[in-house]
């Protein structure tokens, strides 16, 4: 793990050195600080915030201003990790110019060091435009949640020969367009391994098996905070929802019983 600040070139170098990349999502300064102190290499202000913070059913309602707000907060908590901000639905699909204006805000106003967008070949002109303007871009292929209505659900992508071939072509096209890393979400492990072997830039898997160059999870899933559903690929490292509920029950009980505050906790 690099001791110094993680940068885009350093992250690419980690693949060359065979060092696995550990990434998580963050949405506020306090969590960002804790995850940064834990040694996480890359923190993503994911549009998953629509689901785990805002309570929506999917990521589509999230706006650029909302991602910007959370990116500013996360920026204040980070010292070492690379900060990547997600481009929300319709902030980059309309035209490369609009994508550049919006991505620029995430760097200029939010303090992000890179942006992430969902999609393959169709977005290569946009990726090129951003990268040429000095904005590092992380791709996202496989189960791309902003296309949930096209897919009709959150099932595994890339299972058929045609789809896995298309994924590989998309990944190569993104790398050629200048993407510095690619998230591979919910695709078969063997497909992720082939893509990872063919690319020079790192792949960051989520539900894509162990062969990717790095892994990312939604922090609220990994810490057992988000309970609405739990994909098979999520490993829970804590049960914070249970801990919070139990702790708050004890607090409520103490207040009701007159056990809090005590004289020692008073002035
Ligand atoms: O929005 C998000 O959190 C993401 C990660 C799951 C990769 O895109």
């Amino acid at each position: 793990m690099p001791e110094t600040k993680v940068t885009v070139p350093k992250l690419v170098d980690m693949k060359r050195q065979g060092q696995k990349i550990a990434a998580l999502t963050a949405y506020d300064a306090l969590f960002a600080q804790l995850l940064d102190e834990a040694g996480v290499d890359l923190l993503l202000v994911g549009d998953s915030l629509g689901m785990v913070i805002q309570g929506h059913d999917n990521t589509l309602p999230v706006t650029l201003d909302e991602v910007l707000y959370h990116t500013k907060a996360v920026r204040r908590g980070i010292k070492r990790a690379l900060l990547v901000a997600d481009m929300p639905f319709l902030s980059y699909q309309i035209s490369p110019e609009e994508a550049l204006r919006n991505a620029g805000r995430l760097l200029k106003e939010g303090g992000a060091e890179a942006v992430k967008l969902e999609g393959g070949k169709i977005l290569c002109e946009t990726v090129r435009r951003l990268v040429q303007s000095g904005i590092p871009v992380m791709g996202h292929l496989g189960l791309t949640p902003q296309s949930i209505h096209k897919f009709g659900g959150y099932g595994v992508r890339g299972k058929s020969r045609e789809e896995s071939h298309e994924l590989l072509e998309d990944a190569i096209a993104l790398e050629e367009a200048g993407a510095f890393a690619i998230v591979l979400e919910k695709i078969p492990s063997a497909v992720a391994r082939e893509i990872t072997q063919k690319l020079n830039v790192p792949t960051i898997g989520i539900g894509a098996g162990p062969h990717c160059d790095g892994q990312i999870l939604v922090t609220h899933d990994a810490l057992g905070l988000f309970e609405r559903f739990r994909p098979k690929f999520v490993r829970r490292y804590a049960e914070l929802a249970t801990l919070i509920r139990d702790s708050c029950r004890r607090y409520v009980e103490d207040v009701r019983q007159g056990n809090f505050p005590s004289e020692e906790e008073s002035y």
Side-chain angles (χ1 to χ4, degrees):
M1 148 180 137
E3 293 304 319
T4 50
K5 173 85 190 82
V6 181
T7 60
V8 164
K10 256 190 200 149
L11 205 81
V12 178
D13 213 41
M14 284 174 77
K15 172 167 180 143
R16 280 190 215 113
Q17 313 263 337
Q19 289 171 13
K20 292 274 192 185
I21 297 160
L24 282 171
T25 63
Y27 316 103
D28 62 59
L30 180 58
F31 264 69
Q33 185 189 327
L34 295 172
L35 305 181
D36 193 57
E37 286 169 0
V40 176
D41 301 306
L42 182 157
L43 284 174
L44 170 71
V45 181
D47 61 358
S48 49
L49 72 88
M51 298 172 80
V52 300
I53 303 291
Q54 297 175 328
H56 293 299
D57 286 337
N58 57 53
T59 60
L60 298 182
V62 176
T63 67
L64 185 78
D65 282 336
E66 288 163 351
V67 174
L68 193 53
Y69 169 88
H70 288 278
T71 304
K72 287 179 185 175
V74 169
R75 174 75 279 160
R76 293 181 207 115
I78 296 187
K79 288 204 174 96
R80 175 184 166 274
L82 184 77
L83 173 52
V84 182
D86 230 349
M87 298 203 69
F89 182 56
L90 282 198
S91 70
Y92 58 94
Q93 290 94 338
I94 292 166
S95 70
E97 280 65 36
E98 209 163 318
L100 177 57
R101 197 170 302 115
N102 290 332
R105 287 189 70 199
L106 294 171
L107 270 72
K108 201 178 164 93
E109 299 171 42
E113 293 158 289
V115 298
K116 175 170 85 57
L117 41 81
E118 298 181 6
K121 287 185 229 63
I122 187 110
L123 282 168
C124 282
E125 190 192 339
T126 297
V127 173
R128 233 172 251 118
R129 186 92 164 85
L130 299 192
V131 174
Q132 281 166 358
S133 305
I135 301 176
V137 177
M138 182 153 95
H140 186 159
L141 296 172
L143 173 63
T144 44
Q146 291 174 18
S147 300
I148 179 67
H149 296 310
K150 185 176 86 178
F151 296 146
Y154 290 104
V156 179
R157 311 303 309 170
K159 284 206 281 195
S160 70
R161 227 179 144 71
E162 297 75 47
E163 241 192 88
S164 64
H165 185 69
E166 199 177 319
L167 277 175
L168 178 61
E169 283 188 350
D170 279 340
I172 291 170
L174 282 173
E175 174 172 290
E176 283 171 1
F180 72 92
I182 300 176
V183 169
L184 298 176
E185 179 161 354
K186 218 168 175 189
I187 65 172
S189 177
V191 177
R193 180 175 50 201
E194 190 187 359
I195 294 173
T196 301
Q197 284 167 350
K198 293 254 161 72
L199 295 187
N200 295 307
V201 296
T203 57
I204 314 287
I206 171 163
H211 306 292
C212 295
D213 299 301
Q215 297 293 330
I216 186 163
L217 282 174
V218 170
T219 295
H220 289 52
D221 288 336
L223 298 182
L225 267 170
F226 184 75
E227 296 179 308
R228 223 179 331 140
F229 56 86
R230 180 181 176 174
K232 174 184 162 191
F233 62 76
V234 169
R235 185 180 294 179
R236 278 199 188 160
Y237 287 85
E239 296 294 343
L240 290 193
T242 305
L243 185 67
I244 290 171
R245 252 193 312 269
D246 289 350
S247 309
C248 292
R249 264 190 206 117
R250 286 196 288 115
Y251 166 75
V252 169
E253 202 49 33
D254 279 351
V255 171
R256 288 192 180 143
Q257 300 291 326
N259 291 333
F260 175 81
S262 63
E263 281 304 333
E264 290 73 45
E265 287 159 321
S266 308
Y267 295 100

